[in-house]
């Protein structure tokens, strides 16, 4: 078979326009050229695509089926062309990034949506995990770039850049004794179990003699929602729709909660691609806007 993409385009145009003359006007071609092109396509395929017994040619049953196939082939050809143009412009074909599970999900969702729109030819792998895990993904070569909460010095293997901040709050279950107080102090918090992130080598605010630890902010939020204890959490997690009906924020006047710093990590000595530079810049803008 020697049919061409141009023949398929003219076939689809004729089917969608309702006649060869209308398709010719749309394509800026002579009607005879469109009619001949479709005729050659039919001859090459061995299938009658149009019924020409009436004034305006109409699709045959086989033609209606072949129309769907033609549209899909043209879509794939367009995708191939876009990818080729993207690669010719020096953009990478594939990218793997790692995202801290605790990052504001609305920010992450918007970032990925815009990434898809800006780089439609890109093949993306997204890895999620705790702050420690996403750094490990970069060190292991599974991701070239990570976005996570700053948990201290990442080590000499990484280059890093601050992008923005996320506010924190103290959260407890609605039925927890602390929830009934108009405001709490350090002594009040010390009387109840504290839920903490498991982070080796990082100084944390420990106020209670009884502490439970987990390596996931969402696991900590779930324990707090079940009344196990109180926790300091990023506001986006404490107010997440899955926990918002079970958790309440308590006010503590004598405990200062600094903003959580969000940063990006990549391997020391590495050069960021255009896409990675855009991701860094846009993530910072979204964090500041939020």
């Amino acid at each position: 078979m020697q049919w061409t993409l141009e023949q398929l385009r003219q076939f689809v145009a004729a089917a969608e326009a309702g006649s060869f003359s209308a398709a010719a006007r749309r394509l800026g071609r002579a009607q005879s050229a469109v009619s001949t092109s479709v005729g050659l396509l039919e001859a090459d395929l061995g299938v009658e695509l149009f019924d020409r017994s009436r004034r305006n040619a109409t699709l045959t049953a086989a033609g209606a089926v072949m129309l769907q196939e033609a549209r899909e082939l043209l879509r794939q050809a367009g995708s191939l062309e876009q990818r080729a143009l993207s690669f010719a412009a020096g953009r990478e074909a594939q990218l793997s990034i790692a995202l801290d599970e605790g990052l504001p999900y609305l920010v992450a969702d918007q970032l990925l949506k815009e990434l898809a729109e800006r780089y439609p030819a890109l093949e993306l792998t997204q890895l999620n995990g705790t702050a420690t895990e996403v750094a490990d993904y970069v060190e292991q070569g599974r991701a070239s770039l990570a976005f996570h909460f700053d948990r201290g010095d990442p080590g000499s293997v990484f280059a890093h850049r601050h992008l923005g901040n996320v506010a924190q709050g103290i959260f407890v279950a609605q039925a927890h004794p602390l929830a009934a107080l108009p405001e709490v102090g350090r002594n009040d918090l010390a009387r109840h179990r504290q839920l903490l992130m498991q982070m080796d080598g990082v100084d944390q605010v420990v106020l209670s003699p009884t502490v439970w630890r987990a390596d996931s902010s969402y696991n900590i939020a779930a324990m707090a929602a079940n009344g196990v204890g109180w926790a300091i959490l990023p506001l986006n997690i404490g107010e997440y729709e899955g926990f918002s009906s079970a958790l309440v924020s308590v006010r503590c006047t004598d405990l200062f909660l600094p903003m959580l710093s969000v940063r990006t990590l990549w391997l020391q000595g590495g050069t960021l691609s255009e896409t990675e530079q855009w991701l860094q810049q846009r993530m910072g803008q979204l964090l500041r806007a939020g």
Side-chain angles (χ1 to χ4, degrees), residues 96-101 125-148 158 265-267:
S96 179
I97 62 173
L99 298 177
D100 190 321
E101 63 174 12
T125 298
Q126 177 192 333
L127 304 175
N128 296 91
T130 65
T132 301
E133 286 173 338
V134 297
D136 289 342
Y137 294 152
V138 174
E139 187 171 8
Q140 295 163 3
R142 296 179 60 189
S144 61
L145 197 67
F147 298 91
H148 75 166
F158 297 110
L265 290 179
W266 65 99
L267 288 178

Side-chain angles (χ1 to χ4, degrees), residues 75-212:
R75 185 199 65 78
Q76 292 181 18
S79 177
L80 175 67
E81 184 174 18
Q82 286 300 313
R83 284 202 167 194
L85 289 172
S86 177
F87 301 153
R91 294 172 180 169
E92 64 266 57
Q94 299 174 318
L95 178 64
S96 179
I97 62 173
L99 298 177
D100 190 321
E101 63 174 12
L103 292 174
Y105 65 96
L106 291 178
V107 169
D109 286 351
Q110 182 63 27
L111 181 70
L112 294 176
K113 177 183 177 182
E114 293 183 18
L115 178 67
E117 294 170 351
R118 187 180 180 91
Y119 301 99
L122 179 68
E123 184 176 311
L124 178 73
T125 298
Q126 177 192 333
L127 304 175
N128 296 91
T130 65
T132 301
E133 286 173 338
V134 297
D136 289 342
Y137 294 152
V138 174
E139 187 171 8
Q140 295 163 3
R142 296 179 60 189
S144 61
L145 197 67
F147 298 91
H148 75 166
F149 285 120
D150 185 340
R151 302 299 188 183
D153 183 5
S156 59
V157 69
F158 297 110
H160 54 96
R161 176 185 172 191
H162 170 77
L163 297 178
N165 300 296
V166 174
Q168 302 183 90
I170 302 172
F171 290 90
V172 297
Q174 291 195 15
H176 194 282
L178 291 174
L181 302 178
E183 63 181 47
V184 301
R186 288 172 173 263
N187 290 337
D188 298 312
L189 294 173
R191 296 189 185 100
H192 300 277
R193 181 182 293 111
Q194 182 176 358
L195 308 173
L196 279 173
M197 279 287 292
Q198 173 59 43
M199 295 181 292
D200 296 334
V202 177
D203 293 332
Q204 296 177 272
V205 178
V206 180
L207 299 177
S208 173
T210 306
V211 174
W212 281 18

Side-chain angles (χ1 to χ4, degrees), residues 257-272:
L257 296 179
M259 299 282 280
L260 285 172
S261 173
V262 178
R263 69 185 175 193
T264 181
L265 290 179
W266 65 99
L267 288 178
Q268 190 70 254
T271 302
L272 297 181

Side-chain angles (χ1 to χ4, degrees), residues 222-242:
M223 287 192 290
N226 287 326
V228 174
W230 62 271
I232 299 173
L233 293 167
L235 289 187
N236 58 282
I237 294 180
E239 298 171 354
Y240 179 65
E241 59 185 358

